[in-house]
Amino acid sequence: MKKIYSFLLLALTLQFLQAQEKANEIKLNIGNTIAIASVEFGYERFFDDHQSIEAMILINDRFNYKTEGDDRNFNTTSYKIGYNYYFGEELPGSGLYVNPFLKLRNGEFEEEVLLTGSSGTVTKTTDMSSLAIGLGLGYEWNFNNTFVIGPFVNLGRNFSEEVKDRFSAIEFNAGLNIGYRF
């Protein structure tokens, strides 16, 4: 009799777990990892079918896809938090979405600068520490509420004079996220 009760309890528990919505997602921006060697991964927590909060970490974060070379080196890490609102109706957290966000970057950018009137160079360092506020737009395809993939674009405004003087006050970022829901 204990075996029958144990089996029924296990079956009910599995049914309950299967019926629960998948409210967590981990993701990787595979586009930027391949294109510019920037590792961007994150976690997203859904609190209903259309809304979520996300946290991202961006390692070797580049400013507006500026390239590195022998004389230019980014050593930056960024942390981004955002709110996502999904407009799709077929599956939870799918379709077109908007993403207002805050992004905190720290680190530095170094480049070799040719000295005026000589053949020598000097290393110039730019403090990349900044706060940005922005808005993103993307689309996410949801496969069986387990695997997701989708392109996105972000546009942000930096609030650092040093970064603005060296690069720009406006920052662009895009990519292709792949993710897993659980």
Side-chain angles (χ1 to χ4, degrees):
M1 193 66 159
K2 281 186 179 181
K3 288 182 181 180
I4 293 174
Y5 286 130
S6 296
F7 176 74
L8 288 174
L9 181 62
L10 178 64
L12 288 173
T13 302
L14 289 175
Q15 182 65 26
F16 173 75
L17 290 175
Q18 188 177 23
Q20 285 184 321
E21 287 291 324
K22 295 178 180 179
N24 304 292
E25 180 181 315
I26 54 173
K27 59 176 115 182
L28 171 70
N29 180 351
I30 194 72
N32 283 352
T33 300
I34 293 169
I36 60 172
S38 172
V39 179
E40 303 173 13
F41 58 92
Y43 170 78
E44 191 170 345
R45 173 72 180 177
F46 290 87
F47 48 94
D48 72 23
D49 287 353
H50 298 284
Q51 300 179 74
S52 69
I53 299 292
E54 72 173 1
M56 302 281 295
I57 184 166
L58 299 85
I59 301 168
N60 193 28
D61 188 23
R62 307 274 183 90
F63 192 91
N64 284 344
Y65 295 98
K66 299 289 184 188
T67 59
E68 286 189 324
D70 293 336
D71 60 345
R72 294 162 48 122
N73 182 32
F74 282 91
N75 184 16
T76 56
T77 301
S78 297
Y79 308 94
K80 178 182 159 227
I81 57 170
Y83 166 80
N84 295 326
Y85 187 84
Y86 292 88
F87 295 98
E89 295 293 331
E90 288 184 34
L91 289 170
S94 65
L96 185 68
Y97 68 91
V98 294
N99 169 243
F101 65 87
L102 286 173
K103 181 177 175 181
L104 177 66
R105 176 187 289 119
N106 56 35
E108 56 189 30
F109 170 73
E110 294 179 342
E111 63 184 328
E112 295 293 320
V113 178
L114 193 61
L115 292 173
T116 310
S118 78
S119 60
T121 62
V122 65
T123 301
K124 181 180 177 189
T125 302
T126 303
D127 181 11
M128 296 296 291
S129 298
S130 62
L131 176 69
I133 186 169
L135 184 66
L137 183 66
Y139 195 92
E140 194 158 282
W141 288 277
N142 179 342
F143 301 98
N144 281 342
N145 208 23
T146 303
F147 294 101
V148 292
I149 187 169
F152 69 91
V153 295
N154 293 328
L155 196 59
R157 168 67 162 91
N158 278 299
F159 294 97
S160 165
E161 288 298 316
E162 192 170 352
V163 172
K164 185 183 83 157
D165 291 344
R166 172 58 185 90
F167 295 103
S168 170
I170 304 299
E171 181 177 356
F172 172 78
N173 183 30
L176 178 69
N177 281 332
I178 57 171
Y180 176 75
R181 290 203 180 152
F182 56 100

